Amino acid sequence: MSKLNRSWILRRRPHGALRPGDLELVESELEPLKEGEVRIRTVFQSVDPTNRIWISDMDAYMPPVEVGEPVRAYGLGIVVESRHEVFSVGDRVNTGLAHWALYNTQPGDALFGKLPDIPGVPLTAYAGPLGPTGMTAYFGLIELGRPQPGETLVVSAAAGAVGSMVGQIGKIKGCRVVGIAGGAEKCRWLIDVAGLDAAIDYKNEDVGDALDRHCPNGIDINFENVGGPIMDAVLGRLNHFARMPLCGLISMYNATEPVPGPYNFAQLLMKSVTLRGFIGSEFIDRFPEGVQAMTEWLVADRIKYEVDIVEGLESLPTAFERLFTGKNLGKVLVQVSAED
Ligand SMILES: NC(=O)c1ccc[n+]([C@@H]2O[C@H](COP(=O)([O-])OP(=O)(O)OC[C@H]3O[C@@H](n4cnc5c(N)ncnc54)[C@H](OP(=O)(O)O)[C@@H]3O)[C@@H](O)[C@H]2O)c1
């Protein structure tokens, strides 16, 4: 095994979109493992919008990554050294909160156990439907959206990692589901593959007009991933007692000035709406329940998922940019090393 690690270090807080020089890929010597630790070689690095939050200094749900530190992230990998009784070389694991790096060293007790090897379920599924994004979709929709058969659910960033799961869970729960996404290809995927009732291409049509057409009975649940004008258009069409799990506001993460709005905020009052911001990890104790449900749907082919894989740890900033330009369909991953 190589004794050298490679990790992405935060060199400067980004102003707006990530720029060359904000991050640097550096090599460092690996320390010998301590008792109870496990060394994991990253196979797939998860690339998430929240990495943008973590490398900023905004008041957020976790402390910021400090300048000079490796960027916080999770990944899927293989144990290459272990001094922990539960884990052995060759085990496949989720790294938990670690770093954008070739190797991560974690206390074995902090890991979530070994990833099961289920026929027909590839490793990538543990970053998609069976991973943190899948669990965010599952618990955000089921617990906070409380979908009922016949209700209308609208989800933004609908062809992304979280949104694509939300839409399909909504269909399984009997909702009319309308997805909002950028571009004809994503909208086709939402209808033809994910089986949604309607898709709105916000880059090429007026979202308000399209919502009026596709939501003739108003909107009962808004699973919000984006914020900005898209969210405003949805707010103006919510039904009485609508629920709004607020999962993300990606349209704001690169903002360099305070973002005005939402202009239809008063509708939350007028329609007695329940808006609930949440972080998926608040349901972490119940993840096994969510993984079980999602595994059953995945194996039964009731849930489809896509991965957007970019090759090589050095490509991480390119992969990250895909989230903010909407180039990705499904979960963005960087393949850092081979699966075997
Ligand atoms: N609360 C939690 O625990 C939690 C956990 C995971 C993710 N999230 C949030 O969920 C959202 C989706 O995350 P994800 O990991 O699933 O990423 P994703 O949806 O796979 O990728 C991000 C997508 O956002 C859309 N987007 C980017 N900039 C936009 C803009 N200015 N206006 C409208 N759409 C824009 C793009 O899709 P289009 O091509 O459709 O524009 C892009 O593909 C993010 O807001 C993220 O922060 C929250």
Side-chain angles (χ1 to χ4, degrees), residues 9-255:
I9 305 291
L10 178 64
R11 288 292 178 221
R12 179 178 68 198
R13 295 211 184 277
H15 183 74
L18 195 70
R19 285 178 303 154
D22 292 341
L23 306 179
E24 187 189 3
L25 185 58
V26 300
E27 288 193 344
S28 59
E29 289 283 330
L30 285 169
E31 302 283 332
L33 277 196
K34 298 191 188 75
E35 190 56 39
E37 285 185 336
V38 172
R39 180 156 292 143
I40 304 153
R41 168 171 54 78
T42 307
V43 176
F44 292 110
Q45 191 74 76
S46 183
V47 183
D48 297 273
T50 202
N51 295 122
R52 179 67 187 82
I53 296 174
W54 291 343
I55 59 178
S56 77
D57 56 4
M58 75 171 74
D59 185 8
Y61 63 98
M62 290 183 91
V65 174
E66 295 301 335
V67 172
E69 285 187 347
V71 178
R72 184 190 297 135
Y74 82 93
L76 306 174
I78 293 173
V79 173
V80 289
E81 267 185 271
S82 176
R83 292 190 65 192
H84 188 278
E85 57 189 7
V86 170
F87 296 97
S88 313
V89 170
D91 287 344
R92 306 182 320 160
V93 293
N94 180 320
T95 60
L97 278 183
H99 303 120
W100 278 346
L102 174 56
Y103 294 106
N104 278 291
T105 304
Q106 293 281 61
D109 289 347
L111 299 177
F112 301 106
K114 302 171 193 179
L115 296 175
D117 199 355
I118 303 169
V121 176
L123 182 59
T124 54
Y126 292 96
L130 310 182
T133 50
M135 294 304 99
T136 299
Y138 181 86
F139 288 105
L141 182 61
I142 303 278
E143 292 300 319
L144 308 177
R146 304 191 305 278
Q148 302 300 316
E151 288 192 324
T152 298
L153 160 69
V154 171
V155 54
S156 50
V162 174
S164 62
M165 295 300 113
V166 169
Q168 295 179 81
I169 299 168
K171 284 304 298 172
I172 289 170
K173 293 293 169 186
C175 293
R176 171 174 180 77
V177 183
V178 178
I180 305 176
E185 188 197 341
K186 288 187 180 189
C187 287
R188 243 190 328 271
W189 185 88
L190 289 173
I191 302 292
D192 295 349
V193 182
L196 270 48
D197 297 284
I200 298 173
D201 175 1
Y202 76 90
K203 290 186 174 164
N204 291 297
E205 57 188 320
D206 182 274
V207 175
D209 290 349
L211 286 169
D212 288 339
R213 259 195 333 277
H214 295 306
C215 307
N217 300 321
I219 299 166
D220 301 295
I221 308 166
N222 174 34
F223 195 103
E224 186 56 54
N225 283 322
V226 165
I230 293 174
M231 180 176 75
D232 247 323
V234 178
L235 288 184
R237 289 161 177 83
L238 292 176
N239 287 336
H240 271 101
F241 303 112
R243 285 84 64 201
M244 180 165 162
L246 175 53
C247 176
L249 293 165
I250 194 168
S251 71
M252 298 177 169
Y253 298 167
N254 279 331

Side-chain angles (χ1 to χ4, degrees), residues 130 135 138-139 142-143 283-297:
L130 310 182
M135 294 304 99
Y138 181 86
F139 288 105
I142 303 278
E143 292 300 319
F283 297 99
I284 201 158
D285 293 343
R286 293 180 56 195
F287 276 12
E289 177 194 325
V291 169
Q292 188 181 338
M294 293 291 279
T295 304
E296 284 169 15
W297 291 331

